[in-house]
Amino acid sequence: MAEEKIGDTDVQIPVNPTIPSGDQSVWADVSPLLQLACKDLHDGELIHGENFNLFAAMSALEIMDPKMDSGIVSTYYSVDEAIEKGAAPVPLSFDRTIDIQCTIDIMDHLLACEATWHKGHSLAQTVFSCVYLLRPDRTSSHALLHSYCMVVRATCNALVSAVSDVRTNEEEDLFTLTYGLPLKGDGDEKCLSVLHAIDETISRQLRACKAPSTKRRVLEDIEPLQTNPDLEEGFCKAVLCRLRFRKHFYHVLMCMRRPQGKGFELARKHITSCLSELDSMLKLEEFLRSNNTCGTVRDATEEATTASGCRPIGFDSSLNSRLSAPTPPRAIKLLYWKEAVEYFKKLLNDLQVICSYTLDPVLEVVLRFVVGFQKLHPDLVARAYLQLLLVQDGKLYGRDPVFAVIGKASLLPDVIKNHDLQKNEAVVQLGQLVTNLLRILCTNAAWQRRKLGKILQEWRIIHVQLEMAFKKEFGDTLSTSNDENVAVKICNQILIWVEEQTYWIATRFLTLGFELELYSPSDYCMVYWYIYVILIKLAEKTHVKMMRSNDNGRRKGKKKRDSKDAKDYQIPPAVVLFQCQIYLAEGLVMMLAALRNEYNVFQSLGPFNTEHERFLQHFELLQKACLPDHISYFSFKETTNHARLSTLSMYNCFKDAQRIAKELRITYSNDPEKLNELRRIEQVAEHNVVALNLVCRLGTLDPSLKIYFEFSHHPYFASAVVKRS
Amino acid sequence: METEKNKKDDEAEGLGLPRIEAKRYLQGSGVEYVSYGGEHHLPLIMNLVDQELSEPYSIFTYRYFVYLWPQLSFLAFHEGKCVGTVVCKMGEHQNTLRGYIAMLVVLKPYRGRGIATELVTRAIRVMMESGCEEVTLEAEVTNKGALALYGRLGFIRAKRLFRYYLNGVDAFRLKLLFPVQRHTNISR
């Protein structure tokens, strides 16, 4: 007998003889103890213990509270109970017309579930809220539903494995949590051939109902899809486009997983087919809506998860609530069917962009492609497939060794591909940084910016490590730039490229802040100043890299023409484009600074800290990595303290930006992407010239004048708008 | 939800007049502010938060905050009725002492009078005096009111947190760094 004391009462606890006792313990029934304890404890009180503090108490679950106790929110206790109670009948109806209508509703609702899953909700609460999916064997007598369920499961499985393979970040890993759901049904791998067989049958049924009456006799042995001859054609078509969409979509995913983008050409064809099937689905919406099972013809604008507007049979979102977590998942709002169709169109278009990419071996082109792709705001699935393409087996596209990529990026000749240097430990590490960078650039913008901020330090460190490693290997010859030694040249080029790349990352880090709305207008001045400083460095490093590479090339062949080349020397267009952006950034810095100095606007005057602290917070990671060296809040203040509108009108950076952008247009006449950037720069510059003039002329005269900045022309260079309030 | 136009107006700066909004709350509004005073305040805080915030907190969540950091919780009363509250904590985070604002609520009819600003300001002041180096919190990206309030107090948007809330909305991590002599030395 065990004895416990609660309050003033002694309690006798009977030892439970049915459970064998251990060496130093016995099992006892504590119910009476708990009952007494309950009487002694009031609502909201808790017991203090060494391992149970106030923090731990926060994780307490309140039993029987529907917000917290997942056991009491389910409609059914189990899937079996749901089936027993008739939640998912097979067939859906003995009336074959109704059966087809209901089957189409299930297909549509599953599409809505799938899109909602892609958009960040759990598989358990979306696709697998379908009872038919959870019990693969039950549908085997219903060939159509069975085949559709098979391909949906196989598709989910393929997507989970693709997204898992890119080892996605913690913010999006909900996608891959499968909680032991039956993702792989027996025979799912044969889903394509099963789909194909069903497609053939229904195609024959469609042909039969469309055939003129004279021919119909020959086809009479074909049993129709359902019993109403007037609706046969519509239903056959509605089913066919849904099946074919699934078939092509599964093909797309398979083709895109082939190594080195070898399946892209075929994938593009399937994407086109997918898109046309989605269009057919939309065209048949009206037919399904006016012949639906729920009887009411709904308003065309009404939102539903099915084309017909009816609620589907066989779904219960609370079925898996006990699978996922101790607390019940929140109720989620599924995308409507039309939104789901739009989602898939967007996804397919994004995948089309990936499949149309040329697999360029030049890193700069790769980076530009990824950044451009991210501007489309692709969702997780599309980003995952991009990453799968870019980094395979530690090589770019699974094809180009990273050292070769680095060599190309550093403008070294192809012959260095097999240089011994690639075995150097620091160079190997640099390769890892490059693949890591590519991975990061494929993640969502919020996560990407945080990661980019963190890796800046690593890129700074690798530069130092490479420098040391190279010195160790080649001694002081490294510093003499006109040495003919090939290895030394390689080292110097790689070092300058590492710096250039680091400043590129810093630029991306800073500009992403605009997309993520991390800066308030009172921060703009310092942000543009920092962008200005970083861009100068980026331009400088790019320029040096190109000059050195030219030198190397020239020395090989045409030594005699050296003097002539020096005269003809022109700054490379890439550097001039940077110059253009530098002017734009400088223009914005000075304009904002002058407005701050003269009109006291765009200031941050909190009671607890100053602009200095805001500066330290915004640029903490850049400052830690000394990007660039010797830059501080005081350099920013020095540049901006004396800005006045009167001086700005005389020396106007926006005009310089405009002029250079115009000149560059000819150079880049064959590069639509660069032309686009130039056009945007010109627009921003033009607007800001006008705004600046207005403020200079009217500012003091018209107190009702208001100024604000918007990003209508460029994603991160702001255009000033002046208006009367 | 605010319209795009309103948003622009929010961020627009008038060239003629100095800004005045931060001072508005000083006007006598008959609101009384008190520090958390014990168990009798707990139901008041719980009621307010339950009414205004979506998150279901158990009583233990409130206890954790108000028992361990009673000095960082404040209540605002208007004619005897509790109309607003702030609940905070502080602790070590990566070798710095950091304050954290967990909940801030003002009843709808009482908003726009600077009550929230006053509540938060009082809590932040205690954090600063207790040696905190910074203060943080999360706010939904769509919560324009809260973002403007914290922006005026000097908070920056340090990070965006992708789909931070279960409703799928992103959040900003807001941070306020207090001035310390040490910082100026580093940047020099």
Side-chain angles (χ1 to χ4, degrees):
Chain A
M1 282 282 187
E3 232 172 73
E4 283 291 329
K5 201 176 167 82
I6 286 194
D8 296 329
T9 329
D10 285 336
V11 193
Q12 305 264 304
I13 299 173
V15 173
N16 191 338
T18 56
I19 306 171
S21 28
D23 279 348
Q24 300 194 343
S25 59
V26 285
W27 288 92
D29 181 359
V30 293
S31 310
L33 175 74
L34 279 179
Q35 267 160 13
L36 265 171
C38 286
K39 280 182 197 157
D40 221 33
L41 261 180
H42 296 288
D43 194 20
E45 287 185 351
L46 61 102
I47 302 165
H48 285 272
E50 248 178 70
N51 301 320
F52 193 73
N53 54 19
L54 282 161
F55 183 76
M58 279 204 294
S59 321
L61 291 179
E62 285 181 29
I63 308 291
M64 302 307 283
D65 177 346
K67 280 183 194 162
M68 296 198 185
D69 186 349
S70 59
I72 65 165
V73 292
S74 307
T75 327
Y76 305 107
Y77 185 73
S78 66
V79 180
D80 291 327
E81 191 199 307
I83 292 168
E84 253 168 53
K85 291 195 171 161
V90 181
L92 291 118
S93 167
F94 289 104
D95 178 327
R96 287 182 49 222
T97 306
I98 295 176
D99 187 71
I100 282 297
Q101 287 168 320
C102 292
T103 308
I104 294 172
D105 286 341
I106 292 174
M107 294 172 170
D108 288 351
H109 190 81
L110 274 172
L111 193 79
C113 285
E114 214 177 332
T116 311
W117 171 46
H118 290 201
K119 283 284 194 182
H121 291 284
S122 78
L123 196 58
Q125 251 187 306
T126 54
V127 181
F128 280 85
S129 64
C130 178
V131 179
Y132 296 107
L133 276 184
L134 287 163
R135 288 284 184 276
D137 300 337
R138 283 190 66 244
T139 47
S140 53
S141 60
H142 195 299
L144 179 57
L145 182 60
H146 193 61
S147 67
Y148 197 87
C149 288
M150 269 172 122
V151 72
V152 167
R153 266 194 311 270
T155 304
C156 290
N157 194 39
L159 285 169
V160 167
S161 96
V163 175
S164 306
D165 285 352
V166 301
R167 278 174 290 147
T168 183
N169 56 74
E170 64 210 37
E171 283 177 329
E172 294 182 299
D173 61 4
L174 187 63
F175 187 91
T176 57
L177 294 182
T178 52
Y179 312 102
L181 294 165
L183 227 62
K184 286 178 198 161
D186 277 340
D188 280 359
E189 66 285 352
K190 284 180 248 155
C191 65
L192 281 178
S193 55
V194 176
L195 269 186
H196 191 68
I198 306 265
D199 185 321
E200 263 185 13
T201 309
I202 300 177
S203 299
R204 245 181 283 137
Q205 287 165 332
L206 177 63
R207 276 198 300 277
C209 76
K210 282 168 80 177
S213 53
T214 44
K215 277 192 180 174
R216 207 167 271 181
R217 212 164 296 149
V218 193
L219 299 162
E220 240 167 29
D221 58 323
I222 293 170
E223 202 187 338
L225 182 65
Q226 45 81 56
T227 45
N228 186 342
D230 296 337
L231 305 178
E232 179 74 356
E233 185 182 343
F235 281 127
C236 282
K237 282 182 173 169
V239 171
L240 275 178
C241 60
R242 281 164 174 76
L243 290 181
R244 287 175 184 165
F245 167 75
R246 300 271 28 152
K247 185 175 73 182
H248 290 299
F249 187 60
Y250 188 71
H251 269 301
V252 170
L253 300 182
M254 293 299 113
C255 290
M256 287 191 74
R257 283 308 297 266
R258 289 179 59 191
Q260 304 179 20
K262 282 175 183 160
F264 280 5
E265 199 184 328
L266 197 55
R268 283 205 301 274
K269 284 182 188 149
H270 286 296
I271 289 172
T272 311
S273 305
C274 273
L275 287 167
S276 102
E277 299 303 341
L278 285 174
D279 278 337
S280 306
M281 280 158 68
L282 287 172
K283 274 180 202 145
L284 285 158
E285 187 194 2
E286 197 42 53
F287 166 79
L288 291 172
R289 198 175 281 274
S290 45
N291 295 292
N292 65 14
T293 46
C294 35
T296 47
V297 180
R298 295 195 182 201
D299 187 358
T301 56
E302 196 154 346
E303 292 138 335
T305 56
T306 57
S308 69
C310 300
R311 282 172 68 94
I313 297 173
F315 290 85
D316 185 276
S317 57
S318 65
L319 267 180
N320 302 308
S321 60
R322 276 182 299 273
L323 277 180
S324 39
T327 47
R330 305 264 175 101
I332 60 166
K333 201 174 151 289
L334 290 177
L335 264 67
Y336 299 124
W337 178 73
K338 268 203 170 153
E339 292 174 325
V341 172
E342 287 311 312
Y343 166 78
F344 275 99
K345 276 190 184 174
K346 159 95 174 94
L347 170 63
L348 288 159
N349 283 321
D350 289 345
L351 295 178
Q352 187 80 291
V353 174
I354 298 174
C355 293
S356 310
Y357 175 58
T358 52
L359 272 64
D360 200 298
V362 178
L363 186 66
E364 193 199 327
V365 181
V366 184
L367 297 180
R368 219 194 310 158
F369 173 73
V370 183
V371 169
F373 183 72
Q374 288 277 18
K375 278 188 192 144
L376 306 170
H377 299 290
D379 284 298
L380 174 63
V381 170
R383 282 189 274 107
Y385 276 89
L386 176 62
Q387 189 182 322
L388 286 171
L389 165 70
L390 294 184
V391 186
Q392 296 171 20
D393 310 322
K395 293 176 181 172
L396 178 65
Y397 316 123
R399 184 189 70 190
D400 306 342
V402 186
F403 185 68
V405 176
I406 293 171
K408 241 188 184 23
S410 312
L411 301 182
L412 290 164
D414 269 351
V415 287
I416 66 118
K417 262 197 299 215
N418 296 316
H419 201 279
D420 270 353
L421 208 58
Q422 64 185 305
K423 292 177 196 142
N424 184 297
E425 202 186 324
V427 176
V428 172
Q429 265 186 37
L430 175 65
Q432 282 161 359
L433 286 191
V434 173
T435 47
N436 197 25
L437 173 63
L438 288 173
R439 284 211 179 95
I440 291 170
L441 290 172
C442 295
T443 60
N444 72 63
W447 180 263
Q448 186 186 143
R449 186 174 192 272
R450 266 141 69 197
K451 279 289 178 189
L452 289 178
K454 280 188 187 147
I455 61 164
L456 281 171
Q457 190 98 10
E458 293 169 26
W459 279 80
R460 264 324 231 198
I461 292 168
I462 199 70
H463 185 262
V464 177
Q465 284 174 338
L466 284 166
E467 225 173 4
M468 288 194 317
F470 292 161
K471 270 201 182 128
K472 203 170 147 197
E473 214 150 307
F474 306 110
D476 283 337
T477 47
L478 203 61
S479 51
T480 52
S481 59
N482 38 4
D483 198 293
E484 294 293 322
N485 186 335
V486 178
V488 172
K489 239 177 258 163
I490 296 173
C491 295
N492 279 326
Q493 277 301 94
I494 291 178
L495 282 173
I496 192 79
W497 169 75
V498 169
E499 284 193 282
E500 183 199 17
Q501 196 53 51
T502 311
Y503 284 112
W504 183 89
I505 299 169
T507 312
R508 176 99 182 123
F509 171 79
L510 285 170
T511 53
L512 267 178
F514 285 102
E515 190 185 310
L516 297 169
E517 297 172 78
L518 294 180
Y519 309 130
S520 73
S522 55
D523 299 329
Y524 287 172
C525 190
M526 61 168 102
V527 173
Y528 284 119
W529 179 79
Y530 223 112
I531 288 179
Y532 162 76
V533 172
I534 294 283
L535 277 177
I536 290 177
K537 283 291 189 183
L538 178 56
E540 179 193 311
K541 302 296 171 192
T542 307
H543 199 180
V544 173
K545 182 187 80 176
M546 289 177 138
M547 278 199 309
R548 282 199 196 155
S549 146
N550 280 346
D551 283 352
N552 293 344
R554 239 194 337 253
R555 246 183 239 124
K556 260 185 204 156
K558 357 170 182 173
K559 274 192 179 167
K560 285 175 192 166
R561 289 173 56 193
D562 261 9
S563 55
K564 187 173 179 289
D565 280 0
K567 259 185 225 161
D568 288 354
Y569 181 76
Q570 281 186 332
I571 299 172
V575 179
V576 181
L577 181 56
F578 282 136
Q579 185 59 53
C580 200
Q581 295 170 329
I582 291 168
Y583 274 130
L584 210 50
E586 189 184 358
L588 281 162
V589 173
M590 297 321 273
M591 181 178 181
L592 282 155
L595 286 169
R596 283 153 55 103
N597 293 338
E598 289 184 51
Y599 292 102
N600 227 14
V601 290
F602 300 114
Q603 301 270 23
S604 47
L605 304 164
F608 296 106
N609 63 9
T610 66
E611 189 181 54
H612 190 172
E613 280 72 39
R614 299 171 71 90
F615 183 95
L616 291 176
Q617 283 179 286
H618 272 306
F619 310 120
E620 184 192 3
L621 295 167
L622 294 157
Q623 294 266 292
K624 260 190 196 159
C626 300
L627 287 166
D629 277 322
H630 315 299
I631 281 298
S632 70
Y633 176 68
F634 302 102
S635 352
F636 162 63
K637 288 312 275 182
E638 254 172 59
T639 321
T640 53
N641 257 349
H642 306 291
R644 290 287 177 274
L645 288 166
S646 50
T647 23
L648 288 192
S649 54
M650 279 186 287
Y651 176 64
N652 191 331
C653 302
F654 295 127
K655 283 184 181 157
D656 288 321
Q658 232 176 335
R659 178 178 50 78
I660 299 177
K662 272 204 182 84
E663 287 166 12
L664 266 181
R665 266 201 241 151
I666 306 151
T667 322
Y668 284 121
S669 55
N670 290 322
D671 188 337
E673 211 181 309
K674 289 262 166 64
L675 278 180
N676 217 358
E677 172 68 5
L678 289 170
R679 191 178 45 78
R680 286 189 297 234
I681 289 176
E682 274 184 67
Q683 282 173 340
V684 174
E686 202 180 311
H687 273 80
N688 288 343
V689 167
V690 174
L692 201 56
N693 278 338
L694 256 177
V695 174
C696 287
R697 279 193 290 122
L698 298 174
T700 41
L701 299 174
D702 189 348
S704 69
L705 223 51
K706 283 211 165 200
I707 183 160
Y708 59 87
F709 287 86
E710 56 178 29
F711 296 89
S712 42
H713 302 111
H714 196 281
Y716 51 86
F717 285 121
S719 312
V721 180
V722 183
K723 277 202 177 129
R724 281 205 177 84
S725 55
Chain B
M1 276 288 276
E2 290 191 64
T3 62
E4 197 55 25
K5 190 180 166 295
N6 284 339
K7 194 183 139 213
K8 271 178 202 159
D9 281 350
D10 270 0
E11 290 172 354
E13 295 274 6
L15 299 181
L17 296 163
R19 301 198 304 162
I20 48 158
E21 78 278 15
K23 303 284 173 212
R24 235 185 303 160
Y25 69 84
L26 289 176
Q27 292 161 8
S29 52
V31 178
E32 189 195 352
Y33 298 93
V34 294
S35 183
Y36 178 77
E39 195 73 1
H40 62 290
H41 277 155
L42 196 55
L44 300 176
I45 295 179
M46 284 174 64
N47 272 337
L48 271 183
V49 178
D50 275 354
Q51 275 177 58
E52 300 290 334
L53 301 184
S54 62
E55 208 75 9
Y57 295 121
S58 77
I59 188 168
F60 303 110
T61 307
Y62 298 96
R63 283 247 164 79
Y64 169 68
F65 288 102
V66 298
Y67 270 47
L68 293 175
W69 301 277
Q71 77 280 21
L72 297 180
S73 289
F74 290 90
L75 297 91
F77 289 91
H78 182 260
E79 292 171 358
K81 183 184 174 191
C82 183
V83 297
T85 184
V86 65
V87 176
C88 309
K89 66 179 239 176
M90 59 189 195
E92 283 281 320
H93 178 87
Q94 293 173 352
N95 295 323
T96 61
L97 191 58
R98 177 193 258 195
Y100 178 78
I101 299 170
M103 304 169 204
L104 170 67
V105 179
V106 173
L107 286 179
K108 265 219 177 79
Y110 295 86
R111 290 186 196 165
R113 303 188 191 183
I115 296 174
T117 305
E118 181 60 22
L119 284 167
V120 175
T121 303
R122 282 175 187 241
I124 294 175
R125 206 170 289 141
V126 178
M127 291 174 187
M128 193 160 76
E129 285 158 6
S130 315
C132 283
E133 288 174 44
E134 57 180 11
V135 184
T136 74
L137 70 132
E138 290 90 32
E140 278 188 33
V141 295
T142 46
N143 191 349
K144 300 280 181 222
L147 293 174
L149 184 154
Y150 290 113
R152 283 196 297 273
L153 291 175
F155 281 81
I156 70 146
R157 299 169 192 181
K159 285 176 188 172
R160 191 178 177 115
L161 306 164
F162 184 73
R163 291 195 193 128
Y164 184 74
Y165 293 101
L166 280 166
N167 57 14
V169 175
D170 289 2
F172 286 122
R173 166 133 327 120
L174 304 179
K175 276 193 188 178
L176 174 80
L177 181 69
F178 293 129
V180 183
Q181 198 53 44
R182 197 164 52 81
H183 292 301
T184 48
N185 291 339
I186 286 171
S187 57
R188 263 180 191 136

